[in-house]
Amino acid sequence: MTSSGLAVETRGLTKRFGRHEAVSSLDLSVPTGSVFGFLGPNGSGKTTTIRMLLALAAPSAGTITVLGSEMPKRSASVLPRVGALVEGPGFYPFLSGAANLTRFDAAEPGTSSRTRSARVAEALARVGLSAAAAKKVGSYSLGMKQRLGIAVALLSPRDLIVLDEPTNGLDPQGTREVRSLIRGLNADGTTVLVSSHLLAEIEQLCTHAAVMRAGRLVAQGGLDELRGATAAIEIVTPDLDLAREVLARFGLDATADETSTGDSTPRLDAPLPDGVLPEDLVVELVAADVRVRGVAVRRPSLEDRFVELTGEGFDVER
Amino acid sequence: MSNADTLTSPARRRGGGVGDLLLSELALLFRRRRTWALLGALALIPVLLAVAVRLSGSGGGPSFVGDIAGNGLFTGFAAITVAVPLFLPLTVGVVAGDTIAGEASLGTLRYLLITPAGRIRLLLVKFAVAAAFCLAAALTVVVAGLLIGLALFPVGPVTLLSGTEIPAIDAVGRALLIAVHVAISLVGLTAIGVFISTLTDVPVGAMAATVVLSITAQILGSLSQLSALHPYLFSAHWFGFGDLLRDPISWASFGDNVVLQLGYAVVFGSLAMGRFVTRDILS
Ligand SMILES: Nc1ncnc2c1ncn2[C@@H]1O[C@H](COP(=O)(O)OP(=O)(O)O)[C@@H](O)[C@H]1O
Ligand SMILES: [Mg+2]
């Protein structure tokens, strides 16, 4: 059914609000089975894109395919297979958490009323809200509401789960729980599309990512691909010249780090090409009597890459 | 395609019936404190009427009020007469204006649609629930009137407008029939309110606009210069229940009202669908 191997695919997707283009010719490709990070500063068009994926808003131009079917045309058959949290949770404050979930479950055509309360209890348990099931949502903390919002997405088994800023309002513990929830869902074969303006929160989670800036896609792909493969090796040694000679034998072009001050030991930095193993370098260095006091391999963090891609980094841009 | 769907999710394809959603939304309506506050306020109308008559000792005032002291059953007729022009449209405006805009303002609308409740299905259910409220509201006024009348005044056979006398139990039946007529009378206004509710994310705005329209219609209905327009106003038969107090019952006004209100429901229901099906949900 998803012959292309993509759970979500958009081509030329555009949304205009009046003269303002919130999303501009977006070509998004979310591989089936991935945890896909949808990143970008506030106002970069993430939520607007998600609304279009879920048939809440109509595109101004472009096409959308979700789970192999065209949206919004096939939304009646696609949406039951999709769970979503969009732009924060929405509930009746005077109903309990369980009653709110029951209502959404009853709204889904064809769900069995016999097993409804079991589904609701199960969804509440998965987000750790069983104890608060009978409490009115109005008395929930922001983090609890956020979890309840995720529970709505989990009411039925889904093939795709879309979570728009799911860690908003959560404490570090809650953020960790959401991450492990996402991992668990993904391990069960669910594709997860998760948006965030906080890169660090989902970097460790994603297999793929896309970066938005002012309505445009500035990068997309597997995480390693996005980071760029160029790792760097750093060697702490007093024998700079000797070390540089050894590294040159491996084809590495090392530069001394002049920023080191005072009594700290000088360092060498060199880009580490694919295929050169740091352990081989160390063996050679030691054999050549270089006094190696420290070795570190650094990959540029996604954060560095994003600051590069989004210019000023993760600031609100318009 | 749909075959594959069925295979991957066997439990999920039982068709798109309205049943569970309708029951759930009806239950929700009657779980809301606001609904009971509205119905409570409506029930207060006959209570105040009856107590006022009891304290002052005698009649006078709008139609039927003068008869209360002599026969408690008239409290029901008097109360519905008092409630029709303002209080009932007010409560119906609140409920109908809230249908879609209220969900939008709470942020629940997007989750209902993602679920997916289906836009047309949701709109039909919301309309049906608001119409059910019309019946509950009209019944509340009439039944509260009959009960308080029964409690405070003597009860006996009722003389109809046509001069015939019917036993008290038949008069109760007529009162309930009037409640049904009034409830049907409010269906057109309900459809207008639901339509307005699809236009905005601000429920109070939709409620106010609906109530203002109900008053405007009655003002237009009172201008003799516009008499050509009168039969087409949704408020045309709001006081047409006098015909149900004749012997034999004259159904003409009742039937005309059903046709008129159906017309409004079709026209404004279509407008609401046209708007709601294509609308971007950005709340
Ligand atoms: N209902 C709307 N009307 C007009 N502009 C909007 C609306 N919703 C969003 N926008 C604009 O679209 C852009 C993208 O917003 P959004 O998709 O919410 O960004 P993100 O989710 O990435 O923070 C912003 O510039 C925002 O001002
Ligand atoms: Mg957003």
Side-chain angles (χ1 to χ4, degrees):
Chain A
M1 207 161 34
T2 47
S3 51
S4 57
L6 295 178
V8 176
E9 184 177 26
T10 74
R11 290 295 168 253
L13 185 61
T14 301
K15 182 68 184 182
R16 278 182 288 272
F17 293 113
R19 284 174 46 245
H20 170 73
E21 213 164 76
V23 175
S24 308
S25 358
L26 185 64
D27 294 341
L28 203 63
S29 302
V30 179
T32 301
S34 64
V35 176
F36 191 94
F38 193 35
L39 301 157
N42 290 319
S44 58
K46 303 181 297 295
T47 301
T48 305
T49 302
I50 288 173
R51 284 185 197 281
M52 290 189 282
L53 298 183
L54 299 171
L56 290 175
S60 307
T63 59
I64 305 171
T65 311
V66 175
L67 298 173
S69 300
E70 191 187 330
M71 291 290 270
K73 207 163 111 195
R74 302 293 308 271
S75 59
S77 69
V78 171
L79 286 178
R81 302 166 58 200
V82 181
L85 172 74
V86 187
E87 188 100 310
F91 295 107
Y92 272 104
F94 58 86
L95 290 183
S96 72
N100 267 293
L101 290 194
T102 304
R103 172 167 188 254
F104 288 127
D105 194 73
E108 183 172 344
T111 54
S112 152
S113 56
R114 237 173 352 99
T115 51
R116 182 157 296 140
S117 59
R119 272 196 302 279
V120 167
E122 159 83 17
L124 284 166
R126 283 183 88 166
V127 298
L129 279 178
S130 299
K135 283 206 190 105
K136 285 189 169 39
V137 170
S139 71
Y140 278 23
S141 70
L142 184 57
M144 291 164 81
K145 283 183 194 153
Q146 193 77 8
R147 288 167 198 230
L148 192 61
I150 297 175
V152 176
L154 304 180
L155 276 171
S156 299
R158 316 284 189 188
D159 297 326
L160 170 67
I161 291 202
V162 180
L163 300 173
D164 186 17
E165 313 257 1
T167 52
N168 253 5
L170 292 182
D171 51 18
Q173 172 63 18
T175 304
R176 266 195 300 279
E177 284 169 19
V178 167
R179 275 200 293 256
S180 82
L181 192 67
I182 291 176
R183 282 200 194 93
L185 288 168
N186 188 240
D188 296 343
T190 307
T191 307
V192 183
L193 171 64
V194 51
S195 89
S196 181
H197 67 281
L198 295 173
L199 171 63
E201 294 211 325
I202 57 170
E203 178 176 357
Q204 352 162 358
L205 198 66
C206 302
T207 58
H208 296 73
V211 186
M212 296 282 286
R213 175 185 181 182
R216 293 183 179 280
L217 196 62
V218 290
Q220 169 169 237
L223 223 55
D224 290 336
E225 205 179 314
L226 277 177
R227 280 199 188 102
T230 50
I233 187 159
E234 175 191 278
I235 300 184
V236 185
T237 172
D239 308 316
L240 285 184
D241 292 334
L242 196 52
R244 199 173 320 179
E245 257 172 52
V246 175
L247 292 185
R249 277 189 249 150
F250 286 85
L252 270 65
D253 183 19
T255 50
D257 189 346
E258 307 293 348
T259 56
S260 37
T261 54
D263 55 340
S264 73
T265 315
R267 290 181 293 163
L268 274 182
D269 281 313
L272 185 67
D274 283 340
V276 178
L277 298 173
E279 57 267 36
D280 294 345
L281 284 177
V282 174
V283 169
E284 282 299 309
L285 285 167
V286 172
D289 286 336
V290 174
R291 287 167 289 168
V292 178
R293 293 188 182 156
V295 176
V297 176
R298 284 183 283 107
R299 289 191 176 274
S301 74
L302 214 45
E303 188 91 47
D304 298 341
R305 182 83 177 111
F306 283 166
V307 173
E308 222 171 280
L309 287 171
T310 59
E312 308 113 77
F314 273 51
D315 298 324
V316 178
E317 225 173 83
R318 26 178 164 161
Chain B
M1 182 79 223
S2 58
N3 259 343
D5 275 356
T6 321
L7 287 177
T8 51
S9 46
R12 229 176 291 151
R13 292 279 162 291
R14 274 205 293 113
V18 140
D20 281 10
L21 181 58
L22 182 59
L23 285 180
S24 150
E25 292 303 296
L26 263 180
L28 180 62
L29 175 70
F30 290 103
R31 262 174 98 158
R32 298 191 75 158
R33 218 175 286 166
R34 189 184 69 194
T35 306
W36 291 104
L38 292 174
L39 294 179
L42 288 174
L44 220 55
I45 295 170
V47 173
L48 289 177
L49 270 180
V51 169
V53 169
R54 183 67 192 254
L55 291 180
S56 68
S58 73
S63 48
F64 300 122
V65 177
D67 303 316
I68 292 178
N71 188 342
L73 291 182
F74 276 101
T75 320
F77 302 123
I80 197 91
T81 313
V82 170
V84 158
L86 181 60
F87 297 107
L88 278 170
L90 205 64
T91 58
V92 168
V94 167
V95 171
D98 193 51
T99 44
I100 300 296
E103 301 286 350
S105 78
L106 282 174
T108 42
L109 182 56
R110 60 177 178 269
Y111 290 107
L112 287 171
L113 294 184
I114 294 168
T115 290
R119 297 194 182 204
I120 290 178
R121 183 165 163 266
L122 181 63
L123 201 60
L124 288 175
V125 164
K126 285 291 186 181
F127 175 69
V129 169
F133 176 82
C134 293
L135 184 60
L139 279 175
T140 299
V141 174
V142 168
V143 171
L146 293 175
L147 290 179
I148 190 75
L150 207 66
L152 295 187
F153 304 102
V155 166
V158 168
T159 307
L160 294 176
L161 299 179
S162 51
T164 340
E165 200 178 77
I166 57 168
I169 188 69
D170 289 1
V172 169
R174 298 283 179 121
L176 295 178
L177 194 57
I178 287 175
V180 171
H181 170 88
V182 169
I184 293 172
S185 303
L186 293 167
V187 165
L189 180 64
T190 302
I192 293 172
V194 171
F195 169 58
I196 296 175
S197 195
T198 61
L199 301 178
T200 172
D201 292 346
V202 185
V204 180
M207 295 175 193
T210 309
V211 173
V212 165
L213 277 180
S214 79
I215 292 167
T216 308
Q218 293 179 80
I219 292 173
L220 295 180
S222 70
L223 297 176
S224 54
Q225 291 87 341
L226 299 176
S227 54
L229 186 68
H230 289 174
Y232 304 104
L233 291 172
F234 58 82
S235 55
H237 302 282
W238 277 12
F239 291 99
F241 50 76
D243 288 354
L244 301 177
L245 291 177
R246 295 178 202 285
D247 203 31
I249 292 177
S250 153
W251 291 99
S253 179
F254 190 93
D256 288 351
N257 187 38
V258 169
V259 171
L260 178 72
Q261 301 299 331
L262 263 180
Y264 268 91
V266 166
V267 170
F268 283 91
S270 308
L271 286 174
M273 277 187 200
R275 162 72 182 164
F276 191 53
V277 164
T278 56
R279 172 185 157 188
D280 280 355
I281 308 299
L282 300 169
S283 56

